[in-house]
Amino acid sequence: MKRITFLVTAITTLAGAVAFTATASRHAAAQEAAPIFVKKVPAGYRDWKVVSVAHEAGELNDIRAVLGNDIAIKAYRAGKLPFPEGAIVGRIAWSHVSSEENNRTFGRDQSFVAGSPTAAYLQFMVKDSKKYAATGGWGYSSFDKDGKPTDEAAMKTCFPCHQAIKDRDFIFTRYAP
Amino acid sequence: MKRITFLVTAITTLAGAVAFTATASRHAAAQEAAPIFVKKVPAGYRDWKVVSVAHEAGELNDIRAVLGNDIAIKAYRAGKLPFPEGAIVGRIAWSHVSSEENNRTFGRDQSFVAGSPTAAYLQFMVKDSKKYAATGGWGYSSFDKDGKPTDEAAMKTCFPCHQAIKDRDFIFTRYAP
């Protein structure tokens, strides 16, 4: 919970400072009426292909795999923007933990592996230009390890930050060949 | 090249200190006659499913995805050991680089992403109990970004370290649900 609070606070602060322009305010108004987030974990996501991997240090302290469904991966590999309808990009975040076993093998403390699921274990962006028109054509979602979605108020902080990369169709993660 | 040299040195040192028992010596003798490593990158590996992710700090300074072919993933998920014939576990290692773009969004320096391929970009373990009988039933391989395999002498240092986890069929990485 603490981690979610931090993340939301960080994003909200940034949104307040940078992204809450008149445009964002209009979008926020539109969000009152339109759905902006996804309440169900997409089926089969654990079988999806890898887009890339990342590590968030600091309070988040996680290590993550970013995955894509077939529509998303195909678009990524073709360098095609915007992503087509039905594309889903997801990420799994595990706690970033030291591996004593690996360190023994390497003979030094250097190895970190995926530990338990984090508070914001799963996140997805689902492309549906009509349904999620108010948030750039993407629905956002975040789930804990039990599949419980993050509350709607917190989800409203996603889009303002993702606007920073509107020219890449709002997706931060680049494909790692 | 420096990184490979470091890795090989680290592994060799460890092997010298810990794993070069009389058993290992007999295996080394057997290796003279039998193939112990794989010279071709397995086809389609980039489409494989995720086993887990990891970060090696220090000299290696990489972030990695560990993937498995369908045979390996099925065995992992079933918790079945030893891995069946044909199982392949692979890992891709990219350099661990700070993301200025992500840090701007988070409002603090915390984000690391996959950069360029490392010197030991791809590594695979291929299960074939007969062919690789001399090394616990697994063939080992390592490739740079151009698909050039690491030389055979260096590959002989793989098995001695992996013997530390013989009870998990020589595979270090655990499946991350």
Side-chain angles (χ1 to χ4, degrees):
Chain A
M1 198 57 218
K2 192 181 159 202
R3 283 183 190 150
I4 287 188
T5 308
F6 163 75
L7 178 60
V8 169
T9 306
I11 292 173
T12 308
T13 306
L14 193 79
V18 182
F20 262 124
T21 59
T23 308
S25 300
R26 280 198 303 276
H27 278 296
Q31 285 173 21
E32 302 294 321
I36 61 162
F37 82 119
V38 181
K39 295 181 185 179
K40 273 187 75 172
V41 173
Y45 75 89
R46 192 58 186 73
D47 290 341
W48 293 352
K49 289 160 190 163
V50 176
V51 175
S52 191
V53 290
H55 164 46
E56 298 299 335
E59 288 276 331
L60 286 176
N61 190 37
D62 68 42
I63 186 160
R64 36 181 71 193
V66 177
L67 311 177
N69 69 356
D70 285 342
I71 298 171
I73 290 289
K74 198 176 166 189
Y76 259 123
R77 289 177 178 172
K80 187 185 164 177
L81 287 176
F83 284 87
E85 300 298 307
I88 311 179
V89 178
R91 74 114 186 84
I92 312 175
W94 298 274
S95 58
H96 182 250
V97 297
S98 177
S99 167
E100 204 184 307
E101 180 174 78
N102 292 4
N103 289 339
R104 261 201 312 274
T105 305
F106 279 114
R108 58 178 69 197
D109 288 355
Q110 68 169 47
S111 191
F112 297 87
V113 296
S116 51
T118 60
Y121 177 43
L122 301 175
Q123 294 191 336
F124 299 93
M125 287 175 66
V126 178
K127 188 68 179 269
D128 184 328
S129 295
K130 283 187 185 160
K131 189 171 180 183
Y132 305 113
T135 47
W138 292 97
Y140 292 82
S141 66
S142 184
F143 303 92
D144 69 12
K145 67 179 168 54
D146 302 315
K148 186 172 170 272
T150 303
D151 65 278
E152 188 156 358
M155 297 314 296
K156 286 187 180 175
T157 64
C158 297
F159 180 53
C161 274
H162 280 261
Q163 285 201 75
I165 37 140
K166 188 178 177 179
D167 65 341
R168 295 209 309 279
D169 197 19
F170 307 100
I171 298 282
F172 277 98
T173 303
R174 291 175 160 90
Y175 186 83
Chain B
M1 197 58 215
K2 193 181 159 200
R3 283 184 192 151
I4 286 187
T5 309
F6 162 75
L7 179 60
V8 170
T9 307
I11 292 174
T12 309
T13 306
L14 192 79
V18 182
F20 262 124
T21 59
T23 309
S25 299
R26 280 197 303 276
H27 279 297
Q31 285 172 21
E32 301 295 320
I36 61 162
F37 83 118
V38 181
K39 294 180 185 179
K40 273 188 73 171
V41 173
Y45 76 87
R46 193 59 184 75
D47 290 342
W48 293 352
K49 290 161 190 163
V50 176
V51 176
S52 192
V53 290
H55 163 47
E56 298 298 335
E59 288 277 329
L60 287 176
N61 191 35
D62 70 39
I63 186 160
R64 36 182 71 193
V66 177
L67 310 177
N69 69 356
D70 284 341
I71 298 171
I73 290 288
K74 197 176 165 189
Y76 259 123
R77 290 177 178 174
K80 186 185 164 177
L81 288 176
F83 284 87
E85 300 299 306
I88 310 180
V89 178
R91 75 114 184 84
I92 312 175
W94 299 275
S95 59
H96 183 249
V97 298
S98 178
S99 168
E100 203 185 308
E101 179 174 80
N102 292 2
N103 289 340
R104 261 201 312 275
T105 305
F106 280 115
R108 57 179 69 195
D109 288 356
Q110 68 169 49
S111 191
F112 297 87
V113 297
S116 51
T118 60
Y121 178 44
L122 300 175
Q123 293 191 335
F124 299 93
M125 287 175 67
V126 178
K127 188 68 178 271
D128 184 328
S129 296
K130 281 184 186 162
K131 190 171 181 184
Y132 305 115
T135 47
W138 292 97
Y140 292 82
S141 65
S142 185
F143 303 91
D144 70 11
K145 67 180 168 51
D146 302 315
K148 185 170 171 272
T150 304
D151 66 277
E152 187 157 357
M155 296 314 296
K156 285 186 180 174
T157 64
C158 297
F159 180 54
C161 274
H162 280 261
Q163 287 202 72
I165 37 139
K166 189 177 176 181
D167 63 342
R168 295 210 309 278
D169 198 19
F170 307 100
I171 298 282
F172 278 98
T173 302
R174 291 176 162 89
Y175 185 82

